[in-house]
Amino acid sequence: MISLCRIIIRHWDLIIGLAVKDLKVKYKSAFLGFLWSILTPLFLAFIFFIVFTRIIPMGIDKYPIFLLCALFPWNFMQLSISSGTTSIVTSGNLIKKIYFPREAIPFSVIFSNAYNFLLSILILLAILMLSGVGITLKIIYLPLVILCQMILTLGMIFLFSGLHTYFRDVKYIVEIFLLGWFYLTPIFYPLEVVPESLRFLYMVNPMAVLVNMYREILLFGVWPGVLETGYLILSSIFTCAIGLFVFRKYEPIFADIV
């Protein structure tokens, strides 16, 4: 982790430059530009709202906010992992031309998607104020949760992007993995509907813990538990360490096979 901090400090200009380039390329031909990163989860929230309040009522108070507290973080995670998995391969020309720490590429993916994520969080805070839910002192916990999610996501990008350089089927496996992960995370349904006998296994899922903490902080106005906070921190660091180990294992051959 210390080595990663050094890379950020020493190569900050490169990382931000790559992130800005990624943002420009992604939205350069779109009329609404960056708004699409926010409109997509909003549209998904609208669909779930119609289904689970009109067709299959779930009886959840302030259901749109309940959804957005999970959909915005999930959208950040999904977009980051999807684009991050192929980031080394798509940066092949740059990798072959000059040497720089290859970790800068996954970092740039995180920062480019974090920009959109932070915008969506600001919109969510505005919605909380306008809806009467308000913002409580628990908001001071939010930066820690966001940081843990970024570390967790970075670890998965390291893992998948490193493997994808050698095994090109990885991106298809990741697509299936993300689809299953979405439904196994309490995003459009509350954790309480999960049978109590399975709930402990459910909460081994770090994304389920993240979603629950976002809702506790933003919607319910309660302090997250010590155990779930500790688990989130440890699982994020562990995932990042494993991902970095795999990434650096394949790093010597990046220039030869991309």
Side-chain angles (χ1 to χ4, degrees), residues 87-109:
S87 60
I88 298 298
V89 173
T90 55
S91 301
N93 290 335
L94 181 62
I95 289 174
K96 290 178 180 179
K97 287 179 181 178
I98 59 173
Y99 175 78
F100 59 92
R102 307 315 187 196
E103 293 87 349
I105 296 175
F107 272 124
S108 69
V109 173

Side-chain angles (χ1 to χ4, degrees), residues 189-239:
Y189 57 89
L191 183 63
E192 288 71 25
V193 304
V194 179
E196 197 160 340
S197 58
L198 299 175
R199 206 170 292 172
F200 174 78
L201 292 175
Y202 226 76
M203 292 306 289
V204 173
N205 172 5
M207 196 62 202
V209 177
L210 273 165
V211 165
N212 191 55
M213 292 178 73
Y214 277 113
R215 286 176 176 151
E216 287 176 335
I217 295 167
L218 297 172
L219 180 58
F220 304 128
V222 298
W223 294 106
V226 175
L227 288 179
E228 64 178 341
T229 302
Y231 175 74
L232 178 61
I233 293 173
L234 291 176
S235 61
S236 299
I237 294 174
F238 178 76
T239 302

Side-chain angles (χ1 to χ4, degrees), residues 165-184:
T165 58
Y166 199 79
F167 306 101
R168 297 303 170 92
D169 288 343
V170 168
K171 69 175 181 179
Y172 303 108
I173 296 173
V174 168
E175 289 175 2
I176 298 172
F177 166 72
L178 288 173
L179 182 62
W181 198 12
F182 176 80
Y183 287 104
L184 290 173

Side-chain angles (χ1 to χ4, degrees), residues 3 19 37 40 63 106 117 121 153 160 180 188 198 253:
S3 64
S37 64
T40 301
Y63 191 62
F117 179 45
I121 289 294
T153 307
F160 294 138
F188 57 90
L198 299 175
I253 61 173

Side-chain angles (χ1 to χ4, degrees), residues 45-186:
F46 175 73
I47 297 299
F48 283 138
F49 174 74
I50 296 298
V51 172
F52 293 109
T53 59
R54 298 291 183 266
I55 302 175
I56 312 174
M58 299 193 71
I60 298 176
D61 189 31
K62 299 188 184 301
Y63 191 62
I65 299 176
F66 177 88
L67 277 173
L68 292 178
C69 284
L71 280 175
F72 281 148
W74 172 261
N75 193 54
F76 164 65
M77 175 80 79
Q78 182 184 42
L79 289 176
S80 298
I81 293 175
S82 296
S83 58
T85 297
T86 58
S87 60
I88 298 298
V89 173
T90 55
S91 301
N93 290 335
L94 181 62
I95 289 174
K96 290 178 180 179
K97 287 179 181 178
I98 59 173
Y99 175 78
F100 59 92
R102 307 315 187 196
E103 293 87 349
I105 296 175
F107 272 124
S108 69
V109 173
I110 285 289
F111 284 122
S112 66
N113 286 287
Y115 173 80
N116 294 329
F117 179 45
L118 293 177
L119 287 179
S120 67
I121 289 294
L122 291 176
I123 290 174
L124 180 55
L125 293 177
I127 293 173
L128 289 171
M129 296 294 290
L130 294 173
S131 65
V133 174
I135 299 173
T136 68
L137 182 63
K138 283 72 179 181
I139 195 73
I140 63 175
Y141 219 89
L142 190 60
L144 174 62
V145 178
I146 293 175
L147 178 61
C148 287
Q149 184 174 3
M150 291 178 68
I151 294 172
L152 175 68
T153 307
L154 181 64
M156 302 191 78
I157 294 174
F158 279 140
L159 174 64
F160 294 138
S161 63
L163 291 173
H164 181 64
T165 58
Y166 199 79
F167 306 101
R168 297 303 170 92
D169 288 343
V170 168
K171 69 175 181 179
Y172 303 108
I173 296 173
V174 168
E175 289 175 2
I176 298 172
F177 166 72
L178 288 173
L179 182 62
W181 198 12
F182 176 80
Y183 287 104
L184 290 173
T185 301

